[in-house]
Amino acid sequence: MHTRYSDGKREPEAYIEAALNLGLKEIGFSDHLNPSGGDLQWCMNHDRLPAYAEHILRLKKEHTDIAVRLGLEADYLPGTEKVTEEIINSFPFDYIIGSVHYLGAETVDLGPGFYIGKDINLIYENYFNLVCEAASTGFFDIMGHPDLVRIHRFRPDADITTLYRMMASAFEIHDVAFELNTNGRNKPLHDFYPDKNYLNIFAEHGVPVCVNSDAHFPERTGQHFTEAYELLRRAGYSEMAVFSGRKRFMIPF
Ligand SMILES: [Zn+2]
């Protein structure tokens, strides 16, 4: 969930209410954090971290009807490892999502402009490599929207199966989970991340999966979960990962 602490639209309470109405047993908050401190229009100002953590920890205590988890969606930016490490060790997080939104100084998701006139095969290769590098840092429990580079529907003409194999193998080796992110359906992509055609590769490598709505509005909490579980079942999954105190637990779906 993304709340007003970063680029979400509402207070955390509104998302809990939505989750309870859906009968969900667990809800995780993972507001955006850029370790460089930049992009404050969609990331949390670092000064707000203590208030954010306190707020979610208070809700965690107050709620016996739903498990509330304190997380973070941190950008992976090579060169900012020290800050990332310091932040993730400063609060009692349940999980850390590691996401790549940047290739160099530019974001891959904010508009199609990034892709125009560029070698799409190379963009994919660079993006997948950076996600694998992020997985190897040990900072992250879950790799967020691992093929976000699909967002604006620029398709490579190369066979990218090998990129998914490389990614699944890196996630397996570094023991990180990935998310099936249903919010891609609300984006120009109109589909989940990662590409459903490659989910079986992650399953073959035994990479744990999380089912996440990446909701920025309470109305999108748990969106398309039935469909997500169905896709995962077809790919060979029968359980998903949840986190508490940065330990992973598997539960059936
Ligand atoms: Zn993200």
Side-chain angles (χ1 to χ4, degrees), residues 37-76:
D39 278 320
L40 298 180
Q41 74 276 23
W42 58 284
C43 289
M44 195 173 357
N45 189 313
H46 292 196
D47 298 346
R48 296 270 284 153
L49 264 167
Y52 166 68
E54 259 168 52
H55 193 157
I56 306 301
L57 292 171
R58 174 167 56 76
L59 293 173
K60 194 177 196 164
K61 261 198 214 134
E62 282 172 13
H63 280 275
T64 49
D65 45 0
I66 187 164
V68 177
R69 308 293 187 202
L70 173 64
L72 202 59
E73 179 180 355
D75 263 286
Y76 174 61

Side-chain angles (χ1 to χ4, degrees), residues 161-173 176 178 194-209 231-239:
T161 312
T162 48
L163 292 181
Y164 283 93
R165 287 200 189 286
M166 172 187 79
M167 184 180 267
S169 164
F171 291 1
E172 180 188 9
I173 291 166
V176 293
F178 74 106
D195 189 329
K196 55 184 172 298
N197 297 311
Y198 303 102
L199 285 174
N200 62 313
I201 296 178
F202 293 92
E204 281 160 25
H205 281 268
V207 183
V209 67
L231 275 176
L232 287 170
R233 264 187 218 107
R234 259 185 266 152
Y237 280 99
S238 58
E239 50 180 22

Side-chain angles (χ1 to χ4, degrees), residues 9-247:
K9 300 297 169 237
R10 300 281 304 277
E11 293 295 325
E13 285 81 354
Y15 298 82
I16 293 184
E17 196 187 314
L20 286 170
N21 287 337
L22 287 171
L24 296 180
K25 297 191 180 79
E26 179 157 344
I27 184 167
F29 292 92
S30 55
D31 271 299
H32 285 285
L33 187 108
N34 183 324
S36 77
D39 278 320
L40 298 180
Q41 74 276 23
W42 58 284
C43 289
M44 195 173 357
N45 189 313
H46 292 196
D47 298 346
R48 296 270 284 153
L49 264 167
Y52 166 68
E54 259 168 52
H55 193 157
I56 306 301
L57 292 171
R58 174 167 56 76
L59 293 173
K60 194 177 196 164
K61 261 198 214 134
E62 282 172 13
H63 280 275
T64 49
D65 45 0
I66 187 164
V68 177
R69 308 293 187 202
L70 173 64
L72 202 59
E73 179 180 355
D75 263 286
Y76 174 61
L77 295 171
T80 60
E81 288 82 355
K82 244 189 125 139
V83 183
T84 305
E85 191 169 16
E86 215 176 282
I87 289 171
I88 63 181
N89 290 327
S90 298
F91 301 93
F93 290 114
D94 290 304
Y95 65 95
I96 307 288
I97 300 179
S99 290
V100 173
H101 299 101
Y102 289 87
L103 277 181
E106 289 179 273
T107 49
V108 301
D109 55 335
L110 291 188
F114 173 77
Y115 300 86
I116 293 168
K118 292 208 183 100
D119 179 345
I120 306 303
N121 293 332
L122 190 62
I123 289 178
Y124 265 64
E125 214 179 295
N126 291 341
Y127 188 85
F128 277 62
N129 276 322
L130 203 55
V131 174
C132 291
E133 194 181 302
S136 76
T137 60
F139 295 149
F140 310 120
D141 304 298
I142 307 165
M143 302 316 296
H145 43 65
D147 57 4
L148 178 67
V149 80
R150 287 165 58 235
I151 186 168
H152 293 292
R153 308 180 71 96
F154 286 79
R155 297 290 299 169
D157 50 31
D159 178 11
I160 50 173
T161 312
T162 48
L163 292 181
Y164 283 93
R165 287 200 189 286
M166 172 187 79
M167 184 180 267
S169 164
F171 291 1
E172 180 188 9
I173 291 166
H174 300 293
D175 195 26
V176 293
F178 74 106
E179 64 170 5
L180 182 64
N181 180 318
T182 62
N183 193 33
R185 190 60 67 79
N186 302 309
K187 305 284 178 170
L189 176 66
H190 296 303
D191 200 4
F192 301 159
Y193 310 104
D195 189 329
K196 55 184 172 298
N197 297 311
Y198 303 102
L199 285 174
N200 62 313
I201 296 178
F202 293 92
E204 281 160 25
H205 281 268
V207 183
V209 67
C210 300
V211 178
N212 296 347
S213 50
D214 191 5
H216 291 62
F217 309 85
E219 302 75 35
R220 291 185 178 170
T221 304
Q223 201 182 24
H224 307 304
F225 274 13
T226 311
E227 199 180 331
Y229 294 142
E230 192 45 48
L231 275 176
L232 287 170
R233 264 187 218 107
R234 259 185 266 152
Y237 280 99
S238 58
E239 50 180 22
M240 62 182 168
V242 293
F243 292 84
S244 175
R246 306 217 51 204
K247 283 203 182 70

